[in-house]
């Protein structure tokens, strides 16, 4: 199959109360593990790729791997730029063959965020490429913020409405207290804020970043409030790395990469399959 439509897949999730996972590809093993899991779970899937991962793999290798994965898959597969940093970088990814785009202009003031995001939408939509935008600050190194500091980073409902309506994006990633990487303490998602945004934008699929380490009940609640895309990377990275560490601890003489990357890949696949069941996307393709 050719790459699937980002919007179609997300709207089906929104309509039917499930979320599609975006799992980040960091190399060949990730790509294979994610798409094999999707095939076995009969789930649509989004291969996410950040600027850093593209730099690591090379943009042509990235697109080629994702294309082979999509063409051989029996389920919808999307290749999505994750946290696109600039208009120029988006152009590069569109030219290379990405099938959907995230532009992350969340560090700008609202007017500039809308302006840059709309510029990306105006480039992408005529090409049939759909766009995700971001509002507020999703934590990362800042996940030990105090409550007041954290509240100041959350997306504001009125601003969310303006960003969606004035830029024309197809999906919105509002900051609701999640963070990238390993959480310090229990993640506290701002469900009230998510509900307020949802009330203003009932037809817009919402995206939850920093999906690793969020308790299952919070994931289900987020989905019930309109989240139809959930991004996961760190849990897969940990699964791979822990597996390799265990193999090295048991056998210091191992040198064939297939002997540790193979089991590492299988560990990623298990995490992805579990997430697909949790997100409710299993059996939807
Ligand atoms: O954009 C990527 C994600 O938000 C992944 O977050 O590494 O915390 O799972 P995570
Ligand atoms: Zn993210």
């Amino acid at each position: 199959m050719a790459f699937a439509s980002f919007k179609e897949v997300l709207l089906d999730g929104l309509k039917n109360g499930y979320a599609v996972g975006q799992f980040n590809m960091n190399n060949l093993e990730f790509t294979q593990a994610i798409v094999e899991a999707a095939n076995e779970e009969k789930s649509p899937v989004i291969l996410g790729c950040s600027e850093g991962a593209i730099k690591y793999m090379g943009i042509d290798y990235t697109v080629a791997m994702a294309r082979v994965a999509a063409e051989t898959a029996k389920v919808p597969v999307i290749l999505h730029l994750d946290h696109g940093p600039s208009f120029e970088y988006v152009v590069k990814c569109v030219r290379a063959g990405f099938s959907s785009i995230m532009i992350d202009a969340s560090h700008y003031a609202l007017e500039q965020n809308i302006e840059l995001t709309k510029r990306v939408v105006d480039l992408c939509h005529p090409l049939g490429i759909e766009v995700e935008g971001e509002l507020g600050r999703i934590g990362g190194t800042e996940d030990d913020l105090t409550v007041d500091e954290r509240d100041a980073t959350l997306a504001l409902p009125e601003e969310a409405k303006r960003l969606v309506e004035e830029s024309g994006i197809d999906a919105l990633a509002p900051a609701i207290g999640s963070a990238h990487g390993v959480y310090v303490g229990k993640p506290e998602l701002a469900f009230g804020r998510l509900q307020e945004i949802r009330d203003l934008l009932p037809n817009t699929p919402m995206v939850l970043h920093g999906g690793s380490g969020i308790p299952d009940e919070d994931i289900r609640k987020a989905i019930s409030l309109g989240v139809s895309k959930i991004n996961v990377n760190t849990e897969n990275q940990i699964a791979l790395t822990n597996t390799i560490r265990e193999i090295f601890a048991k056998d210091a003489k191992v040198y064939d990469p297939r002997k540790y990357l193979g089991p590492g890949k299988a560990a990623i696949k298990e995490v992805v399959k579990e997430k697909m069941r949790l997100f409710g996307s299993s059996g939807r393709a």
Side-chain angles (χ1 to χ4, degrees):
M1 272 200 244
F3 289 126
S5 156
F6 181 73
K7 191 174 180 176
E8 248 173 57
V9 163
L10 263 53
L11 283 177
D12 192 68
L14 188 63
K15 197 172 92 194
N16 294 299
Y18 69 92
V20 182
Q22 173 194 295
F23 302 97
N24 287 57
M25 48 189 289
N26 295 285
N27 63 15
L28 175 66
E29 281 73 16
F30 275 78
T31 311
Q32 291 175 324
I34 294 163
V35 176
E36 282 171 25
N39 269 325
E40 287 174 27
E41 285 299 311
K42 299 187 174 37
S43 167
V45 72
I46 299 168
L47 289 167
C49 206
S50 65
E51 184 185 21
I54 293 170
K55 196 169 170 195
Y56 175 74
M57 293 184 281
I59 196 161
D60 292 333
Y61 279 103
T62 303
V63 175
M65 282 193 288
R67 203 168 261 151
V68 171
E71 279 165 4
T72 53
K74 296 186 273 311
V75 296
V77 176
I78 289 156
L79 174 59
H80 188 67
L81 171 62
D82 191 27
H83 294 282
S86 65
F87 182 81
E88 293 68 27
Y89 198 78
V90 167
V91 170
K92 184 174 163 165
C93 291
V94 166
R95 284 210 176 111
F98 274 68
S99 68
S100 59
I101 293 291
M102 175 188 187
I103 176 72
D104 182 355
S106 60
H107 47 290
Y108 291 124
L110 179 66
E111 298 299 333
Q112 286 165 286
N113 185 345
I114 293 173
E115 192 186 315
L116 174 54
T117 305
K118 182 178 179 338
R119 216 173 142 215
V120 167
V121 170
D122 290 345
L123 166 82
C124 291
H125 276 184
L127 301 168
I129 293 172
E130 285 133 5
V131 180
E132 171 185 343
E134 179 174 324
L135 182 67
R137 269 167 50 218
I138 290 164
T141 52
E142 313 119 311
D143 50 359
D144 52 352
L145 293 177
T146 65
V147 174
D148 283 354
E149 285 166 334
R150 193 192 72 128
D151 279 358
T153 68
L154 300 181
L156 294 168
E158 283 301 333
E159 292 193 357
K161 188 171 157 63
R162 280 197 59 198
L163 177 62
V164 170
E165 290 178 354
E166 294 179 32
S167 71
I169 46 174
D170 306 282
L172 170 71
I176 55 159
S178 63
H180 294 127
V182 177
Y183 283 93
V184 178
K186 186 184 176 291
E188 297 291 344
L189 298 190
F191 290 115
R193 186 62 61 92
L194 182 60
Q195 175 79 66
E196 288 174 59
I197 296 171
R198 161 121 168 120
D199 290 345
L200 291 180
L201 296 163
N203 302 315
T204 304
M206 283 192 279
V207 182
L208 180 63
H209 282 251
S212 297
I214 296 180
D216 291 2
E217 63 272 20
D218 287 0
I219 291 285
R220 287 190 202 100
K221 190 162 180 187
I223 294 171
S224 77
L225 293 172
V227 164
S228 45
K229 172 174 179 274
I230 302 177
N231 293 5
V232 174
N233 186 26
T234 300
E235 277 191 54
N236 286 333
Q237 293 181 323
I238 291 173
L240 172 83
T241 307
N242 283 350
T243 303
I244 293 174
R245 273 202 190 102
E246 277 167 31
I247 292 170
F248 287 175
K250 275 191 211 132
D251 181 359
K253 292 208 175 83
V254 66
Y255 62 87
D256 179 347
R258 291 169 296 187
K259 298 272 186 330
Y260 52 88
L261 289 177
K265 180 172 110 176
I268 297 171
K269 189 166 152 184
E270 274 320 299
V271 173
V272 173
K273 288 173 81 168
E274 270 170 36
K275 295 294 177 194
M276 287 170 166
R277 288 177 211 140
L278 172 64
F279 299 168
S281 68
S282 294
R284 295 285 181 173

